[in-house]
Amino acid sequence: MNLQAAEAASPALQVENISKRFGATQALDAVGFRVGQGEVHALLGENGAGKSTLVKVLSGLVIPDAGSISVFGDRVDIARQGARAAHDRGIRTAFQEISLIPDLTIADNLLLPDAPRRFGFVVDRGAANRWVEGVLDRLELHDIDPRADVAECPLPMRQRLEIARAIAREPRVLLLDEPTSALSSRDVEWFARRIEALRGQGVTIVFITHRMREVRRFCEGLTIIRNGRQVGSFPVEDISDDDVVRLVIGRSLAATFPPRPETSPAYEGVPALAVKNLRVKGQLDDVSLSLWPGEIVGVGGLQGMGQHALLYALFGAQPTDGGVIEVRGEPVRLSSPRDAIKPGVGISLVPEDRKTEGLALKLNGRENVSLPVIHRYSRFGWLDLARERKDADSLLDRMQVHPRALYRPCLSFSGGNQQKIAIAKWLITESRILLLFDPTRGVDVGTKHEIYLLMREFANAGGSILFYSTDVLEMVKLCDRVAVMYSGKVRATFAEGEISEEAIMDAALGGVARRNVEKAAALK
Ligand SMILES: Nc1ncnc2c1ncn2[C@@H]1O[C@H](COP(=O)(O)OP(=O)(O)OP(=O)(O)O)[C@@H](O)[C@H]1O
Ligand SMILES: [Mg+2]
């Protein structure tokens, strides 16, 4: 058989019996699957199931203990050649924990690891810049300035750049580890166009996501792994959503979203939080809204319309240029998060980027959870470790974080487990007002369900939640009201019964029925 015939006969990617152990954790146990050329194949599994470890093995960054990988029938010798072997076979990866270097410009990041060179060592700047511009143009990244430092880019932009960098290097096999986790609907459309183009070029794609909708939309086949073991591979059209959930988490979920309470919040007396004419130059333009006890309010809108500035300002982490913030009727000054979390105020934030903002990565899971309330466990300078352990353990158990996570530094947790700990950390503070910035990013279906229940319980107990999500469906299903932002302003507010994906999207794009604009004014 000649080489071309051999290529045609072999699957584009064949993974066999891959095993990998980290200390006591068997991250992968004889996992295998195959993907045909031009196919988009989903890899599904709970947080910590082993998906990213598998991606790192395929990228040559983690040496497996056993198993083999072939691309078009050609064995990739990861153990001997590492990342170079994967790269030479045309494997390119967009990593879950974005691998861009913050201190370099976007252009330099796109050029890594090998910029066009002249005479072997001098970087040819002119050619390099033209190449970068060509890439940004071809991939429809017109809003991106290649001279900006990556550190200045918001997370969703960094995520698109991580994808772009992998695509720009002309992959034969493209590995995408939760590429859409921080993308909202408009960016997911951008992603969809990239997938279509790659499919047209015959590129083979492995795609990790926790959103079943995306699996249906983009993938032909799927493989499920649980606790490092392969559960099975299926054509997407042959398996129902319910069956996928059951195989992913090992049990059925009756309903993903909790029912709404029978009575809606009272809207009487004083609101838990009132924001009046809040301004942040270039980001918030006279924003007024209120949050009542017992209510979950969504902050909708396209990415970058001021949601981030609003939530961070309310946590004292974003300087403001005017406006008043009242907590239970009393004006408060929030110059730093310390002002926000102190007992009389009680505002907590689950931030966007757990890695840099949400967690002390060197501390273990329990220490992270009890960190904001550590004074509670301190008596005469001694820590009451037994009590700290009991409280943290019960929360982490509730969030289904593996008990091992209690003792190990957060650095070694899977992405979703880090997010769960970032949330548990704030639930323990007993704040009355919770600001949640995309709290289910990268969280698996089973735990999402737990987080939804916790949110509803928190509200039912009289707490208030201001909630931004990149997943419109979450807003529709969970919120009592949704305020949609457009260009730094609250464009419309929808009350229960009026909230729908269409209404939110319409307002997000700037158009909205007059009646809702008037209502937004009335509800301030
Ligand atoms: N470098 C490491 N050292 C120790 N343990 C590790 C390391 N990398 C991963 N693990 C462990 O291996 C297991 C699998 O992790 P992995 O990151 O592959 O999960 P995942 O399926 O990608 O999860 P998520 O959906 O949360 O991203 C987890 O228990 C994790 O804690
Ligand atoms: Mg992962």
Side-chain angles (χ1 to χ4, degrees), residues 296-316:
I296 302 177
V297 173
V299 187
L302 298 176
Q303 229 137 33
M305 289 295 170
Q307 302 94 332
H308 189 278
L310 175 62
L311 266 67
Y312 280 62
L314 295 176
F315 189 57

Side-chain angles (χ1 to χ4, degrees), residues 22-23 25-28 45-54 56 96-97 177-178 208 210 225 404 408 411-418 442-444:
F22 295 107
T25 311
Q26 187 73 45
L28 293 171
E46 283 185 293
N47 297 133
K51 305 176 296 296
S52 295
T53 304
L54 191 52
K56 287 178 198 156
Q96 179 177 14
E97 303 299 341
D177 193 352
E178 301 196 28
I208 299 179
H210 291 291
I225 50 179
R404 257 200 315 269
R408 296 213 325 250
L411 205 56
S412 68
F413 299 172
S414 75
N417 277 322
Q418 290 181 356
V443 168
D444 66 48

Side-chain angles (χ1 to χ4, degrees), residues 43 51-60 93 95 175 177 208:
L43 201 56
K51 305 176 296 296
S52 295
T53 304
L54 191 52
V55 162
K56 287 178 198 156
V57 167
L58 294 173
S59 315
T93 312
F95 291 96
L175 311 175
D177 193 352
I208 299 179

Side-chain angles (χ1 to χ4, degrees), residues 507-524:
L509 294 169
V512 74
R514 185 77 221 145
R515 162 176 92 79
N516 290 317
V517 178
E518 279 156 13
K519 233 205 204 113
L523 266 166
K524 273 177 189 172

